Amino acid sequence: QILLGSDKYFVSTDAGGERQQWFALIREDAGGVDPEPSDDDPHPKLTRLRKEFSHLAGGDQNGNVWDPFALELVNATSEEDIKRRDLYDGAPLLNTLDASRWLSPWARGPVALCGDAAHPMMPNLGQGGCQSTEDGYRLAEELSTISHTRMTAAALGKYSRTRVLRTAIVQGFAQLGSDLLVDFDL
């Protein structure tokens, strides 16, 4: 389930065994820090999420009244289980005029990037881990063809060229999807 609001959204998925997994994406400047628990507010993360996803009349600070389902999940979660993480994505590496990046976008000599290091993307498509797994498979395929270490750079370059177009497309869709969700105009 995806709940949309101004500058934020709330996503929940079935985790099996009658459990739900959820995350809340709130657009704000990078590097924010949650307040420490205090005597006045021993659960500051829960307090913030309850305000951000309020289902009461008046809603949140943007006037959005949220489905009570979001708060049901928030309230069923302990303060210690709530983790704050800044999320970053990047422009697909095809977004360059540097010809050397096209020849071997993620590899140089005997070193190659894979996964989020090569193609960071927002989580809304659930493809970050999938693309990383495909990277690993393609790396294994290419490295299995070499018979001497001097062939490593060429194999890594081929891996890089083979994967870059597909991941750039998925990365672009993830970026577009995230922008559309966060900037959704009610």
Coordinates of all heavy atoms in Angstrom, one line a residue, residues 11-62:
V11 N 4.8 3.8 2.7 CA 4.7 2.5 2.0 C 4.7 1.4 2.9 O 5.5 1.3 3.9 CB 5.9 2.4 1.0 CG1 5.8 1.0 0.2 CG2 5.9 3.5 0.0
S12 N 3.8 0.4 2.8 CA 3.8 -0.8 3.5 C 3.7 -2.0 2.6 O 3.0 -1.9 1.6 CB 2.6 -0.8 4.6 OG 1.4 -0.8 3.9
T13 N 4.3 -3.1 3.0 CA 4.2 -4.3 2.2 C 4.1 -5.5 3.1 O 4.5 -5.4 4.3 CB 5.5 -4.5 1.4 OG1 6.6 -4.6 2.2 CG2 5.7 -3.4 0.3
D14 N 3.5 -6.5 2.6 CA 3.3 -7.7 3.4 C 4.7 -8.4 3.5 O 5.4 -8.7 2.5 CB 2.4 -8.6 2.6 CG 2.0 -9.9 3.4 OD1 2.7 -10.2 4.4 OD2 1.2 -10.7 2.9
A15 N 5.1 -8.7 4.8 CA 6.4 -9.3 5.0 C 6.2 -10.8 5.3 O 7.2 -11.5 5.7 CB 7.1 -8.6 6.2
G16 N 5.0 -11.3 5.2 CA 4.8 -12.7 5.5 C 4.5 -13.0 7.0 O 4.9 -12.1 7.8
G17 N 3.9 -14.0 7.3 CA 3.7 -14.4 8.7 C 2.8 -13.3 9.4 O 3.1 -13.1 10.6
E18 N 1.9 -12.7 8.7 CA 1.0 -11.7 9.3 C 1.8 -10.5 9.8 O 1.4 -9.8 10.7 CB 0.1 -12.3 10.4 CG -0.8 -13.4 9.9 CD -1.8 -13.9 10.9 OE1 -2.0 -13.2 11.9 OE2 -2.2 -15.1 10.8
R19 N 2.9 -10.2 9.2 CA 3.7 -9.0 9.5 C 3.7 -8.0 8.4 O 3.6 -8.4 7.2 CB 5.2 -9.4 9.9 CG 5.2 -10.3 11.1 CD 6.6 -10.8 11.4 NE 7.2 -11.5 10.2 CZ 8.4 -11.5 9.8 NH1 9.3 -10.8 10.5 NH2 8.8 -12.1 8.7
Q20 N 3.9 -6.8 8.7 CA 4.0 -5.7 7.7 C 5.4 -5.1 7.8 O 5.9 -4.9 8.9 CB 2.9 -4.6 8.0 CG 1.5 -5.1 7.7 CD 1.3 -5.1 6.2 OE1 1.6 -4.2 5.4 NE2 0.6 -6.2 5.7
Q21 N 5.9 -4.7 6.7 CA 7.1 -3.9 6.6 C 6.7 -2.6 6.1 O 5.9 -2.5 5.2 CB 8.1 -4.6 5.7 CG 9.3 -3.8 5.2 CD 10.1 -4.6 4.2 OE1 10.7 -5.6 4.5 NE2 10.1 -4.0 3.0
W22 N 7.3 -1.5 6.7 CA 6.9 -0.2 6.2 C 8.1 0.8 6.2 O 9.1 0.5 6.9 CB 5.8 0.4 7.0 CG 6.1 0.7 8.5 CD1 5.9 -0.2 9.5 CD2 6.7 1.9 9.0 NE1 6.3 0.4 10.7 CE2 6.8 1.7 10.4 CE3 7.1 3.1 8.5 CZ2 7.3 2.6 11.3 CZ3 7.6 4.0 9.4 CH2 7.7 3.8 10.8
F23 N 8.0 1.8 5.4 CA 8.9 2.9 5.4 C 8.2 4.2 5.1 O 7.2 4.2 4.4 CB 10.2 2.7 4.6 CG 9.9 2.8 3.1 CD1 10.1 4.0 2.4 CD2 9.7 1.6 2.3 CE1 9.9 4.1 1.0 CE2 9.5 1.7 1.0 CZ 9.6 2.9 0.3
A24 N 8.7 5.3 5.6 CA 8.1 6.6 5.3 C 9.2 7.4 4.7 O 10.4 7.4 5.2 CB 7.7 7.3 6.6
L25 N 8.9 8.0 3.6 CA 9.9 8.9 2.9 C 9.4 10.3 3.1 O 8.3 10.7 2.7 CB 10.0 8.6 1.4 CG 11.2 9.4 0.8 CD1 11.9 8.5 -0.2 CD2 10.7 10.6 0.1
I26 N 10.2 11.2 3.7 CA 9.9 12.6 4.0 C 11.0 13.4 3.3 O 12.1 13.3 3.7 CB 9.8 12.8 5.5 CG1 8.8 11.9 6.2 CG2 9.5 14.3 5.8 CD1 8.8 11.9 7.7
R27 N 10.6 14.3 2.4 CA 11.6 15.1 1.7 C 12.0 16.2 2.7 O 11.2 17.0 3.2 CB 11.0 15.7 0.5 CG 12.0 16.6 -0.2 CD 11.6 17.1 -1.6 NE 11.8 16.0 -2.5 CZ 11.5 16.0 -3.8 NH1 11.0 17.1 -4.3 NH2 11.8 15.0 -4.6
E28 N 13.3 16.2 2.9 CA 13.9 17.3 3.7 C 15.4 17.3 3.4 O 15.9 16.4 2.7 CB 13.7 17.1 5.2 CG 14.2 15.8 5.8 CD 13.7 15.5 7.2 OE1 12.7 16.2 7.6 OE2 14.3 14.7 7.9
D29 N 16.1 18.3 3.9 CA 17.6 18.4 3.7 C 18.3 17.2 4.2 O 17.9 16.7 5.3 CB 18.1 19.7 4.3 CG 17.6 20.9 3.6 OD1 17.2 20.8 2.4 OD2 17.6 22.0 4.2
A30 N 19.4 16.8 3.5 CA 20.2 15.7 4.0 C 20.9 16.0 5.3 O 21.1 17.2 5.6 CB 21.2 15.4 2.9
G31 N 21.2 15.0 6.0 CA 22.0 15.2 7.3 C 21.2 15.5 8.5 O 21.8 15.8 9.6
G32 N 19.9 15.4 8.4 CA 19.1 15.6 9.6 C 19.3 14.6 10.7 O 19.7 13.5 10.4
V33 N 19.1 15.0 11.9 CA 19.3 14.1 13.1 C 18.0 14.1 13.9 O 17.4 15.2 14.2 CB 20.5 14.6 13.9 CG1 20.7 13.7 15.1 CG2 21.7 14.6 13.0
D34 N 17.6 12.9 14.4 CA 16.5 12.8 15.3 C 16.9 13.3 16.6 O 18.0 13.1 17.1 CB 16.0 11.4 15.4 CG 15.3 10.9 14.1 OD1 14.6 11.7 13.5 OD2 15.6 9.8 13.7
P35 N 15.9 14.0 17.3 CA 16.2 14.4 18.7 C 16.4 13.2 19.6 O 15.9 12.1 19.3 CB 15.0 15.2 19.1 CG 14.0 15.1 18.0 CD 14.6 14.4 16.9
E36 N 17.2 13.4 20.6 CA 17.4 12.3 21.6 C 16.2 12.2 22.5 O 15.5 13.2 22.8 CB 18.7 12.6 22.5 CG 20.0 12.5 21.7 CD 20.3 11.1 21.2 OE1 20.0 10.2 22.0 OE2 20.7 11.0 20.1
P37 N 15.9 11.0 23.0 CA 14.8 10.9 24.0 C 15.1 11.8 25.2 O 16.3 12.0 25.6 CB 14.9 9.4 24.4 CG 15.5 8.7 23.2 CD 16.5 9.7 22.7
S38 N 14.0 12.3 25.8 CA 14.2 13.2 27.0 C 13.0 12.8 27.9 O 12.1 12.0 27.6 CB 14.1 14.6 26.5 OG 12.8 14.9 26.0
D39 N 13.1 13.4 29.1 CA 12.0 13.2 30.0 C 10.6 13.7 29.5 O 9.6 13.1 29.7 CB 12.3 13.9 31.4 CG 13.4 13.3 32.1 OD1 13.7 12.1 31.9 OD2 14.0 14.0 33.0
D40 N 10.7 14.8 28.7 CA 9.5 15.4 28.1 C 9.0 14.5 27.0 O 7.8 14.5 26.7 CB 9.8 16.8 27.6 CG 10.0 17.8 28.7 OD1 9.5 17.6 29.8 OD2 10.6 18.8 28.5
D41 N 9.9 13.9 26.2 CA 9.5 13.1 25.1 C 10.4 11.9 25.0 O 11.5 11.9 24.3 CB 9.5 13.9 23.8 CG 8.9 13.1 22.6 OD1 8.5 11.9 22.8 OD2 8.9 13.7 21.5
P42 N 10.1 10.8 25.7 CA 10.9 9.6 25.6 C 10.9 8.9 24.3 O 11.8 8.0 24.1 CB 10.4 8.7 26.7 CG 9.0 9.2 26.9 CD 8.9 10.6 26.5
H43 N 10.0 9.3 23.4 CA 9.9 8.6 22.1 C 9.8 9.6 20.9 O 8.8 9.7 20.2 CB 8.7 7.7 22.0 CG 8.6 6.7 23.2 ND1 9.4 5.7 23.3 CD2 7.8 6.7 24.3 CE1 9.2 5.0 24.4 NE2 8.2 5.6 25.0
P44 N 10.9 10.4 20.7 CA 10.8 11.5 19.7 C 10.6 11.0 18.3 O 10.0 11.8 17.5 CB 12.2 12.2 19.9 CG 13.1 11.2 20.5 CD 12.2 10.3 21.3
K45 N 11.1 9.9 17.9 CA 10.9 9.4 16.5 C 9.4 9.1 16.3 O 8.8 9.4 15.3 CB 11.8 8.2 16.2 CG 13.3 8.6 16.1 CD 14.1 7.5 15.7 CE 14.7 6.8 16.9 NZ 15.7 5.7 16.5
L46 N 8.8 8.4 17.3 CA 7.4 8.1 17.2 C 6.6 9.3 17.2 O 5.6 9.5 16.5 CB 7.0 7.1 18.3 CG 7.4 5.7 18.2 CD1 7.2 4.9 19.5 CD2 6.7 5.0 17.0
T47 N 6.9 10.3 18.1 CA 6.2 11.5 18.2 C 6.2 12.2 16.8 O 5.2 12.7 16.3 CB 6.8 12.5 19.2 OG1 6.7 11.8 20.5 CG2 6.1 13.8 19.3
R48 N 7.4 12.3 16.2 CA 7.4 13.0 14.9 C 6.6 12.3 13.8 O 5.8 12.9 13.1 CB 8.9 13.0 14.4 CG 8.9 13.7 13.0 CD 10.3 13.8 12.5 NE 10.2 14.5 11.2 CZ 11.1 14.4 10.2 NH1 12.2 13.7 10.4 NH2 10.9 15.1 9.1
L49 N 6.7 10.9 13.8 CA 5.9 10.2 12.8 C 4.4 10.3 13.0 O 3.7 10.4 12.0 CB 6.4 8.7 12.7 CG 7.8 8.5 12.2 CD1 8.2 7.1 12.4 CD2 7.8 8.8 10.7
R50 N 4.0 10.4 14.3 CA 2.6 10.6 14.6 C 2.1 11.9 14.1 O 0.9 12.0 13.6 CB 2.3 10.4 16.0 CG 2.5 9.0 16.5 CD 2.4 8.8 18.0 NE 2.5 7.4 18.4 CZ 3.2 7.0 19.4 NH1 3.9 7.9 20.2 NH2 3.3 5.7 19.7
K51 N 3.0 12.9 14.1 CA 2.6 14.3 13.6 C 2.6 14.3 12.1 O 1.8 14.8 11.4 CB 3.5 15.3 14.2 CG 3.3 15.6 15.6 CD 4.3 16.7 16.1 CE 4.2 16.9 17.6 NZ 5.3 17.7 18.1
E52 N 3.7 13.6 11.5 CA 3.8 13.6 10.0 C 2.7 12.9 9.3 O 2.4 13.2 8.2 CB 5.2 13.0 9.7 CG 6.4 13.7 10.1 CD 6.7 14.9 9.1 OE1 6.0 15.2 8.2 OE2 7.7 15.6 9.4
F53 N 2.1 11.9 10.0 CA 1.1 11.0 9.3 C -0.2 11.0 10.2 O -0.8 10.0 10.3 CB 1.7 9.6 9.1 CG 2.8 9.6 8.2 CD1 4.1 9.6 8.7 CD2 2.7 9.8 6.8 CE1 5.2 9.6 7.8 CE2 3.7 9.8 6.0 CZ 5.0 9.7 6.5
S54 N -0.6 12.2 10.6 CA -1.8 12.4 11.5 C -3.0 12.1 10.7 O -3.2 12.5 9.5 CB -1.8 13.8 12.0 OG -3.0 14.0 12.8
H55 N -3.9 11.4 11.3 CA -5.2 11.1 10.7 C -6.3 12.0 11.3 O -7.5 11.8 11.0 CB -5.6 9.6 10.8 CG -5.8 9.2 12.2 ND1 -4.8 9.1 13.2 CD2 -7.0 8.9 12.9 CE1 -5.4 8.7 14.3 NE2 -6.7 8.5 14.1
L56 N -5.9 12.8 12.3 CA -6.9 13.6 13.0 C -7.3 14.8 12.1 O -6.6 15.2 11.2 CB -6.3 14.1 14.3 CG -5.9 13.0 15.2 CD1 -5.2 13.6 16.5 CD2 -7.1 12.1 15.6
A57 N -8.4 15.5 12.4 CA -8.9 16.7 11.7 C -7.7 17.7 11.7 O -7.1 17.9 12.7 CB -10.1 17.2 12.3
G58 N -7.5 18.3 10.6 CA -6.4 19.3 10.5 C -5.2 18.6 9.9 O -4.4 19.3 9.2
G59 N -5.0 17.3 10.1 CA -3.9 16.6 9.5 C -2.5 17.0 9.9 O -2.3 17.5 11.0
D60 N -1.6 16.8 9.0 CA -0.2 17.1 9.2 C 0.0 18.6 9.0 O -0.9 19.4 8.8 CB 0.7 16.3 8.4 CG 0.6 16.5 6.9 OD1 -0.1 17.5 6.5 OD2 1.0 15.7 6.1
Q61 N 1.3 19.0 9.0 CA 1.6 20.5 8.8 C 1.3 21.0 7.4 O 1.1 22.2 7.2 CB 3.1 20.8 9.1 CG 4.1 20.2 8.1 CD 4.5 18.8 8.3 OE1 3.9 18.0 9.1 NE2 5.6 18.4 7.7
N62 N 1.0 20.1 6.5 CA 0.6 20.5 5.1 C -0.9 20.4 5.0 O -1.4 20.7 3.9 CB 1.2 19.6 4.1 CG 2.7 19.8 4.0 OD1 3.3 20.9 4.1 ND2 3.5 18.7 3.9

